[in-house]
Amino acid sequence: MSVKIGISPISWQNDDLPDLTAAYTMEQALREAREIGYTGVERGRRMPADTEGLGRYLTANGLFLCGGWCSGNLLVNDVKTEIEAVRPQVEQFVALNAPCIVYAECSNTVQGNITAPVNDRPKFSAAEVKAYGAKLSELAKWMADQGMTLAYHHHMGSFIESEADVDALMEGSTPEVKLLFDTGHLLFGGADVMRVLDRWATRVHHVHFKDIRPEVVKDIRDNRKSFLDAVIAGAFTVPGDGCIDFRAVTEKLKAMGYDGWIVVEAEQDPAKAPPYEYSKLGYEHIVKICKASGLEIDLSRPS
């Protein structure tokens, strides 16, 4: 049993706030990620779009594809329509041996709207989430038949944000729907991070290590600012630089036999948090706590 450590290139190349990271290139992101010690990256929009090109690009940089975002529209699409919408990404990720597709419902989220307070995110009843979970289960079963796992990303500004939302979605869906366990989004959303991990350990397939700065989160909530305002202000940071006890998380991952990816995702203003410096801090903290928890790290790279 071992884990792999990957990173999202979002600290160098923020697709939602491109002006914030305009001084950085994807090539720099991958080069520095590899130099630090990361062995995988999640897909970014400024990587090659075609499967063969993307595969060559990542292999040349000594990095695996360790997942990638998928903007879901299952609330407004029927399952058949959604299958056709995501099919190209599923086929690409299967071909490149990615561990999962990071799926999040985006048809009604406020996460990308800088004028919309994150507090005003859509909220559904447990019954409505259950109905959505039934559709999501169909989609996840189809993905599983293709050889790909759907890992659902609860996300700030979306209708699956809080602990209760996560509970309702997991309860309302079949085991084919896996959970992307994101520490930072959970805590920002008011959840008990360890309680969610304890409750849904058997459904966790992918892990994002994201820390938060509580004082920034409080300001965002109190003053009705947007999710993008939160990113710019530094609500998120790397493991070891915020308030989350990641040692407790790795202890639980070890106990539950987790053998997937731990991915650092900590979008910030690079002028305040230089990507190389902070990504290195996050990596070193993960290595330290994995060692203390007896969680072996797989350092292999593509050849």
Side-chain angles (χ1 to χ4, degrees), residues 183 207-210 239 246 249-250 253 262-265 286 289:
T183 54
V207 174
H208 278 182
F209 269 18
K210 184 196 294 275
F246 285 95
V249 178
T250 54
L253 293 177
I262 293 174
V263 178
V264 172
E265 188 194 43
I286 294 171
I289 59 176

Side-chain angles (χ1 to χ4, degrees), residues 149-226:
T149 298
L150 184 155
Y152 195 90
H153 192 346
H154 53 90
H155 198 286
M156 294 304 303
S158 76
F159 86 112
I160 305 296
E161 177 188 283
S162 70
E163 183 173 348
D165 297 333
V166 172
D167 289 346
L169 182 64
M170 292 293 99
E171 290 165 357
S173 59
T174 61
E176 288 84 2
V177 176
K178 303 302 182 184
L179 180 66
L180 182 151
F181 174 77
D182 187 304
T183 54
H185 280 281
L186 281 171
L187 191 56
F188 196 151
D192 182 315
V193 172
M194 292 307 301
R195 187 165 61 210
V196 172
L197 184 56
D198 287 338
R199 182 175 295 149
W200 299 113
T202 60
R203 302 282 287 275
V204 171
H205 181 80
H206 203 52
V207 174
H208 278 182
F209 269 18
K210 184 196 294 275
D211 217 334
I212 69 166
R213 296 184 176 99
E215 69 281 2
V216 179
V217 168
K218 184 177 187 304
D219 175 67
I220 297 299
R221 290 295 203 189
D222 291 350
N223 292 292
R224 293 183 50 75
K225 297 179 182 179
S226 71

Side-chain angles (χ1 to χ4, degrees), residues 74-75 77-80 82-83 103 105 124-143 150 152 159-160 165-178 203:
L74 195 55
L75 279 171
N77 286 340
D78 59 38
V79 175
K80 183 178 180 180
E82 188 70 356
I83 285 173
Y103 188 92
E105 183 63 43
F124 282 21
S125 67
E128 289 171 319
V129 174
K130 183 177 181 181
Y132 176 82
K135 292 177 69 178
L136 188 65
S137 298
E138 290 187 54
L139 179 63
K141 288 175 183 176
W142 173 80
M143 280 196 197
L150 184 155
Y152 195 90
F159 86 112
I160 305 296
D165 297 333
V166 172
D167 289 346
L169 182 64
M170 292 293 99
E171 290 165 357
S173 59
T174 61
E176 288 84 2
V177 176
K178 303 302 182 184
R203 302 282 287 275

Side-chain angles (χ1 to χ4, degrees), residues 107-124:
S107 63
N108 66 348
T109 182
V110 302
Q111 69 199 58
N113 185 350
I114 201 165
T115 67
V118 71
N119 296 355
D120 291 350
R121 58 108 178 182
K123 295 181 181 179
F124 282 21

